[in-house]
Amino acid sequence: MSVLVIGSCNVDLSVSVSMLPKKGETLLGQKMSYSFGGKGANQAVACGKLGADVTFLSCVGNDEHGQEIRSYLESVNVRCDRMKVSHSQPTGTAIITVDNEGQNTIVVIAGANSECDIDYLKENEDAFQSCDYVLLQMEIPLDAIEYAIACASKYNKKVVLNPAPALSNFNELLYPKIDYLTPNETELETMAQSNHTMDDNIQSLLNRGVKNILVTVGESGAYFVNKQVKQLVETTKVVAIDTVGAGDCFNGAFVTALSQGMSDLEAIRFANKAAAIAVTRQGAQESIPTREEMNN
Ligand code: RIB
């Protein structure tokens, strides 16, 4: 079965700091590096490296970064023939700080990602028809995300939405069209529009029609909840050095596993394992393991 990933491409400018800056504070950074990122591209790379049949819909700028990103994606078996090139916006950028414990802050400047819009998705409607799973995040325009969910559902495709960064003005009517919603705890609160307990927030989203909810809880693993099941799927404890892109690795791995016939729980264990490897390495895309590494 095949996967259609729709989402952002960024150039990540990462700075290592001893601790994350507070409001108004100036810090001396230790090391600076450029790499490829963007939640959409990271998830597509995870699918490609882990062996999924994956197509990517995304928009980059008409610049060197855009070309390099596409070549890298193709080198890890992501189909990019439908990718768009903007002639008015540069490739998206993310400014990232990573502290000594591997925790991070991220600010994204959308650039060309703002042109991953409804018109572009309409031009690629046949890609929705020919896939089995549609994997989305929230770094492209909200109306395009909502259109993609409605379109995927019209063709009876499985929809996986990683609500990152989460938005509270998401169209509630679309919840019943989401097969898997995969927030972290903060994103769960934003999507549920409440700061009640995690259980209450999950329940509220299930009541609004989401079929399955997977809440990633860092080094504890992930909660899997639907109307019948509520289970914590634990992960291996590792020493994290960089958590950037770990959630993306989890999502790409999860959908890859589903597309290869694993059950929900098997797919979550597979995704936990991939993310546990990713956090022990630097960067977003380069930290994602290959299928061979997963089998070792
Ligand atoms: O999830 C990590 C990603 O968030 C980074 O690669 C950055 O580009 C932002 O999109």
Side-chain angles (χ1 to χ4, degrees), residues 152-166:
S153 159
K154 177 173 87 182
Y155 293 115
N156 292 316
K157 307 303 176 181
K158 294 274 183 209
V159 174
V160 183
L161 175 64
N162 173 222

Side-chain angles (χ1 to χ4, degrees), residues 17-270:
V17 286
S18 50
M19 56 185 146
L20 300 177
K22 298 188 190 71
K23 231 189 219 177
E25 189 178 23
T26 301
L27 285 180
L28 295 180
Q30 287 141 8
K31 202 178 76 189
M32 191 177 88
S33 62
Y34 285 93
S35 55
F36 301 141
K39 295 184 197 304
N42 297 345
Q43 295 184 17
V45 166
C47 293
K49 281 188 165 183
L50 292 166
D53 175 352
V54 55
T55 298
F56 187 35
L57 295 185
S58 187
C59 183
V60 291
N62 185 18
D63 47 39
E64 215 176 300
H65 291 314
Q67 285 167 12
E68 287 169 0
I69 287 170
R70 180 169 172 164
S71 307
Y72 178 69
L73 286 161
E74 285 174 338
S75 76
V76 293
N77 299 320
V78 177
R79 209 172 292 113
C80 294
D81 51 327
R82 295 168 181 273
M83 266 176 79
K84 176 175 169 184
V85 176
S86 165
H87 291 278
S88 57
Q89 297 277 353
T91 299
T93 310
I95 311 292
I96 301 177
T97 51
V98 181
D99 73 8
N100 283 344
E101 280 153 27
Q103 298 306 311
N104 62 68
T105 63
I106 304 181
V107 177
V108 174
I109 297 105
N113 294 311
S114 62
E115 292 185 23
C116 186
D117 52 18
I118 294 181
D119 288 343
Y120 168 58
L121 298 183
K122 280 187 178 161
E123 283 161 24
N124 286 286
E125 185 152 341
D126 55 322
F128 286 82
Q129 285 170 269
S130 57
C131 73
D132 300 285
Y133 287 87
V134 175
L135 173 58
L136 295 148
Q137 327 70 37
M138 298 182 104
E139 284 185 338
I140 58 171
L142 179 58
D143 60 353
I145 298 163
E146 293 174 345
Y147 176 83
I149 293 170
C151 186
S153 159
K154 177 173 87 182
Y155 293 115
N156 292 316
K157 307 303 176 181
K158 294 274 183 209
V159 174
V160 183
L161 175 64
N162 173 222
L167 298 171
S168 54
N169 55 340
F170 181 77
N171 180 354
E172 301 246 329
L173 297 177
L174 292 170
Y175 277 129
K177 300 186 191 299
I178 297 176
D179 294 282
Y180 299 91
L181 186 72
T182 63
N184 63 22
E185 288 169 88
T186 319
E187 291 155 358
L188 174 70
E189 283 186 7
T190 307
M191 296 303 280
Q193 293 172 51
S194 108
N195 54 5
H196 293 134
T197 64
M198 186 165 90
D199 279 352
D200 288 345
N201 291 338
I202 290 173
Q203 216 42 61
S204 139
L205 288 167
L206 288 176
N207 290 342
R208 285 182 251 175
V210 177
K211 297 190 187 73
N212 298 283
I213 301 190
L214 250 157
V215 186
T216 51
V217 282
E219 60 181 22
S220 301
Y223 276 99
F224 176 59
V225 191
N226 58 33
K227 291 250 150 97
Q228 292 79 39
V229 180
K230 181 179 169 222
Q231 187 171 340
L232 171 66
V233 185
E234 290 184 75
T235 187
T236 324
K237 297 265 178 288
V238 292
V239 178
I241 64 156
D242 182 353
T243 56
V244 175
D248 300 328
C249 176
F250 179 94
N251 278 277
F254 175 65
V255 178
T256 297
L258 290 181
S259 75
Q260 295 180 344
M262 290 190 209
S263 69
D264 291 335
L265 290 174
E266 285 167 341
I268 297 168
R269 285 188 203 102
F270 183 82

